[in-house]
Amino acid sequence: MKKLKITPVGHNLLVKPVPLKEETKSGILLPSSQIQQIPKGTIVAKGIKVSDEFKVGEHVQWILEHTNTKEFEHNGEKHLLLAESGIACKISHLD
């Protein structure tokens, strides 16, 4: 299957989310009701109107309740399309 390139339009960002941690460092599996993490991911592509503040490859966090995200599969992996205004902060590294 041929890989597709997706380019967001306007003020939108394409983000590959980091999977939520479902177990503790000691290996204890957490039930879904206990997994409460702020979503984070890596910018894969950005629309032409997105400010220069955001660059492809940077890690960002957003607040799920305040962000309208569209989830879809791209080249076999989960990705999110979200508005630039929904980004809460940039982060320098991911665990």
Side-chain angles (χ1 to χ4, degrees), residues 8-64:
V9 296
H11 292 279
N12 292 310
L13 295 161
L14 182 65
V15 176
K16 182 177 177 188
V18 173
L20 296 176
K21 292 183 181 182
E22 297 180 356
E23 71 178 58
T24 65
K25 290 181 182 182
S26 61
I28 298 171
L29 293 176
L30 298 170
S32 58
S33 62
Q34 294 297 314
I35 302 173
Q36 298 177 356
Q37 298 176 6
I38 296 175
K40 52 191 168 188
T42 305
I43 298 174
V44 175
K46 66 180 199 169
I48 196 161
K49 293 184 178 182
V50 173
S51 74
D52 291 336
E53 180 180 5
F54 298 105
K55 298 190 178 17
V56 172
E58 288 185 317
H59 305 294
V60 293
Q61 287 186 332
W62 58 96
I63 299 172
L64 212 49

Side-chain angles (χ1 to χ4, degrees), residues 62-69 82-83 85-87:
W62 58 96
I63 299 172
L64 212 49
E65 296 83 23
H66 302 293
T67 307
N68 185 13
T69 61
L82 52 117
S85 62
I87 301 296

